[in-house]
Amino acid sequence: RMRYLALPIELESNALKMNNSEFTVDGSNVRSDNPYYHYFGATDGSARPDGIIVEPLITDAVEYFAFADPNQIDTIEVGFLQGRQAPEFFLADNPLVGSMFTNDRIVYKVRFEFGATVLDYRGMYLQKNS
């Protein structure tokens, strides 16, 4: 069963209409129950449901991804180096050494090391129209 829908910005309004409409109307104006009504979560209209994820990095306006409920199937696993699940920030601010001394410049360094892999492809789906 699908639980999450990841899609580009261009498909957001269609996904919200699909999720929030109690009925559907086909080409001949026949009204029927919408099987996707609140399928991705109910909302009061001011927020997007939890199950609809708008991802600006998806650049193809006709493609979307569907993911199963992670409680039903392990689909993706993310591992963190030495268990650090947050980025590490380093600051070179010693006024007697380096660019702080020569250029009055503070240098920041950020390190965030992780890896991800697919555990079971059956828990995800890509719809790509050509």
Side-chain angles (χ1 to χ4, degrees), residues 2 14 20 25 27 29 34 58 64 66 68 92 99 103 121:
M2 276 190 305
N14 290 345
N20 297 331
V25 179
N29 291 330
N34 179 6
I58 301 175
Y64 63 88
S99 64
N103 302 335
Y121 68 90

Side-chain angles (χ1 to χ4, degrees), residues 3-109:
R3 173 64 183 98
Y4 297 100
L5 187 64
L7 41 84
I9 296 168
E10 294 85 358
L11 296 179
E12 178 182 16
S13 63
N14 290 345
L16 292 174
K17 284 179 196 173
M18 174 193 69
N19 188 69
N20 297 331
S21 299
E22 195 170 348
F23 301 100
T24 62
V25 179
D26 66 10
S28 59
N29 291 330
V30 175
R31 188 173 138 164
S32 61
D33 289 340
N34 179 6
Y36 296 104
Y37 178 62
H38 288 172
Y39 193 89
F40 298 104
T43 180
D44 61 1
S46 63
R48 188 172 36 245
D50 291 339
I52 297 177
I53 303 162
V54 177
E55 177 52 61
L57 296 177
I58 301 175
T59 57
D60 192 348
V62 294
E63 120 182 342
Y64 63 88
F65 298 85
F67 297 95
D69 188 337
N71 295 320
Q72 293 180 341
I73 186 169
D74 290 329
T75 305
I76 298 172
E77 180 179 48
V78 178
F80 300 91
L81 184 66
Q82 298 176 349
R84 293 189 181 110
Q85 295 186 21
E88 295 177 277
F89 293 91
F90 302 96
L91 177 63
D93 62 348
N94 187 341
L96 303 176
V97 203
S99 64
M100 181 67 177
F101 178 74
T102 58
N103 302 335
D104 292 332
R105 185 176 70 176
I106 296 177
V107 177
Y108 295 92
K109 176 181 177 182

